[in-house]
């Protein structure tokens, strides 16, 4: 399959082995900075309330993230490329692609199998496009102050909720008062659905899986963290450098989100953003605005990469394997 790249260059792009192996090595090094400490903790039976999250909440495993992909329409040549013929959604480059890449017939070369991906994952691609484009088009809201995390432990004594290794920074009683003293404005279903039952009616809106497409907005920390989810779900059609840009943004947002949470994370090296005070609220919004701006840039890059794929998907019939639903991931609080 051929299409015009949105940046203007023709695809497929050819990368020789001496060109793509260094990019692969750089990607592996970039991922291991985050994955290795997590794997060491997991092996030792230890947990980290902030830094384990992207590997435990999201479904992408470290081994999957370590695999480097150049993106759709790129031909990788050389003996090392042949191993990828056994990878999902990869195939050997055909004669037309070899010729377009300036390679002799029978050269060892592979490319992402866009046709197979679209046959099996068409609806997932289109759903991601809808969420990304809809979120990008809406105005950002900055009035939530991270209270979704507080609503998850509201009246925790009543519901016998306890975190196995974290304490509430203000204690249960004062935490409940903070929730009651503030208006809660969470627009993200995957945070809202973990509220305690008593916190649910305190939210000023009712996000659901059904209205997710209309509710997500670019000021929401969790919507911006989920850029990583949409990126890895579309691997190997997106370049891994873009996926890791989304991962690292999500990592930094998670750290800020938990600093603003009701948990005491000082000993973990994460000083509190005290959103129960005017100064803390202002600090939170400053971070939120900066993340929103950065996220909109990444969202635009994702949509640019997806545009030719979405155009191709519009003419592709779904298969029985493609029945896209959003999974119920584990708790968005500390894990």
């Amino acid at each position: 399959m051929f299409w015009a790249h949105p940046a203007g260059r023709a695809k497929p792009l050819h990368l020789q082995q001496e060109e793509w192996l260094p990019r692969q090595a750089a990607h592996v090094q970039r991922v291991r900075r985050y994955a290795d400490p997590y794997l060491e903790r997991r092996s030792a039976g230890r947990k980290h309330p902030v830094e384990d999250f992207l590997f435990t909440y999201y479904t992408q495993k470290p081994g999957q993230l370590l695999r480097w992909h150049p993106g759709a329409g790129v031909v990788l040549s050389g003996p090392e490329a042949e191993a990828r013929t056994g990878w999902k959604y990869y195939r050997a480059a055909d004669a037309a692609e070899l010729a377009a890449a300036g390679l002799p017939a029978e050269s060892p070369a592979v490319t992402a199998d866009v046709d197979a991906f679209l046959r099996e994952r068409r609806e997932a691609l289109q759903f991601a496009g809808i969420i990304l484009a809809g979120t990008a088009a809406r105005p950002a809201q900055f009035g939530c102050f991270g209270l979704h995390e507080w609503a998850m432990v509201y009246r925790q004594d009543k519901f016998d909720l306890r975190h196995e290794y974290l304490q509430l920074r203000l204690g249960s009683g004062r935490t409940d008062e903070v929730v009651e003293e503030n208006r809660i404005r969470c627009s993200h279903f995957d945070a809202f659905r973990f509220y305690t039952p008593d916190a649910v009616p305190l939210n000023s809106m009712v996000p659901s899986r059904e209205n997710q497409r209309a509710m997500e907005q670019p000021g929401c920390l969790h919507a911006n963290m989920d850029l990583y989810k949409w990126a890895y779900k579309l691997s190997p059609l997106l370049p891994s450098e873009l996926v890791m840009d989304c991962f690292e943004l999500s990592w930094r947002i998670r750290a800020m989100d938990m600093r603003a949470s009701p948990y005491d994370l000082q000993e973990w090296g994460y000083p509190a953003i005290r959103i129960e005070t005017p100064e803390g609220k202002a600090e939170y919004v400053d971070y939120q605005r900066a993340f929103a701006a950065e996220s909109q840039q990444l969202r635009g890059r994702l949509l640019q990469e997806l545009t030719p794929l979405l155009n191709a998907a519009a003419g592709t019939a779904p298969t029985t394997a493609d029945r896209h639903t959003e999974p119920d991931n584990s708790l968005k609080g500390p894990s």
Side-chain angles (χ1 to χ4, degrees):
M1 177 175 291
F2 295 86
W3 55 81
H5 188 273
R9 63 174 169 82
K11 284 196 170 187
L13 172 71
H14 171 218
L15 293 176
Q16 299 180 31
Q17 185 166 292
E18 58 268 27
E19 295 175 299
W20 65 263
L21 281 180
R23 286 179 59 179
Q24 176 177 267
H27 171 75
V28 169
Q29 184 177 16
R30 188 178 181 186
V31 173
R32 291 187 64 179
R33 174 187 169 194
Y34 303 95
D36 284 359
Y38 164 70
L39 293 172
E40 291 168 5
R41 286 191 298 271
R42 189 178 69 176
S43 178
R46 300 194 310 272
K47 296 181 179 181
H48 195 292
V50 180
E51 297 172 11
D52 289 351
F53 182 76
L54 267 63
F55 297 111
T56 56
Y57 174 75
Y58 292 111
T59 58
Q60 176 91 321
K61 303 306 179 187
Q64 295 170 310
L65 186 59
L66 280 164
R67 285 188 167 185
W68 174 79
H69 306 291
V74 179
V75 171
L76 302 180
S77 68
E80 294 286 339
E82 288 188 288
R84 293 178 179 240
T85 56
W87 291 15
K88 191 170 185 178
Y89 300 125
Y90 270 89
R91 60 171 174 78
D94 61 29
E97 289 162 337
L98 291 174
L103 292 169
E106 309 301 327
S107 295
V110 298
T111 190
D113 193 341
V114 176
D115 289 340
F117 190 97
L118 294 183
R119 284 194 304 270
E120 297 179 10
R121 300 282 293 153
R122 170 180 170 270
E123 289 184 7
L125 170 67
Q126 292 176 325
F127 186 80
I130 289 168
I131 292 290
L132 292 168
T135 304
R138 295 186 189 102
Q141 305 296 319
F142 301 108
C144 70
F145 305 122
L147 284 162
H148 53 274
E149 294 286 348
W150 297 67
M152 293 178 192
V153 295
Y154 179 60
R155 295 182 179 174
Q156 70 168 16
D157 293 338
K158 174 180 176 180
F159 298 103
D160 196 27
L161 297 175
R162 288 290 185 275
H163 197 281
E164 61 184 288
Y165 62 103
L166 289 180
Q167 299 298 317
L168 296 178
R169 178 168 55 82
L170 301 178
S172 294
R174 179 59 185 137
T175 297
D176 292 347
E177 290 175 359
V178 171
V179 174
E180 293 161 358
E181 292 167 358
N182 289 274
R183 184 183 179 193
I184 311 179
R185 304 181 181 92
C186 181
S187 60
H188 197 272
F189 175 65
D190 284 316
F192 175 72
R193 67 193 178 95
F194 292 112
Y195 281 22
T196 64
D198 284 1
V200 168
L202 302 180
N203 207 57
S204 62
M205 53 191 74
V206 186
S208 67
R209 189 64 73 204
E210 290 69 31
N211 65 22
Q212 180 182 9
R213 302 178 186 207
M215 292 285 288
E216 294 203 3
Q217 48 86 17
C220 173
L221 293 188
H222 285 273
N224 293 333
M225 287 179 65
D226 279 351
L227 291 178
Y228 169 57
K229 175 176 71 173
W230 305 123
Y232 78 71
K233 280 180 176 290
L234 302 179
S235 291
L237 303 191
L238 296 182
S240 288
E241 290 84 357
L242 177 54
V243 176
M244 276 305 293
D245 286 347
C246 294
F247 176 96
E248 290 180 340
L249 172 66
S250 186
W251 182 279
R252 289 184 284 115
I253 292 176
R254 169 65 175 177
M256 177 266 190
D257 192 33
M258 292 308 294
R259 287 181 61 202
S261 78
Y263 300 103
D264 186 354
L265 298 175
Q266 184 71 41
E267 66 179 73
W268 298 88
Y270 292 88
I273 297 174
R274 301 179 182 275
I275 59 94
E276 71 274 14
T277 69
E279 295 79 11
K281 284 183 171 65
E283 183 181 5
Y284 184 93
V285 171
D286 285 344
Y287 277 111
Q288 193 177 23
R289 288 184 180 277
F291 283 135
E294 188 174 353
S295 297
Q296 284 289 65
Q297 292 182 349
L298 271 180
R299 199 170 277 113
R301 288 171 59 193
L302 286 168
L303 286 167
Q304 186 179 54
E305 290 286 340
L306 294 186
T307 295
L309 296 167
L310 290 166
N311 290 340
T316 304
T319 68
T320 55
D322 187 7
R323 294 291 182 267
H324 180 70
T325 58
E326 278 299 286
D328 281 345
N329 296 342
S330 55
L331 180 61
K332 275 249 178 184
S335 55

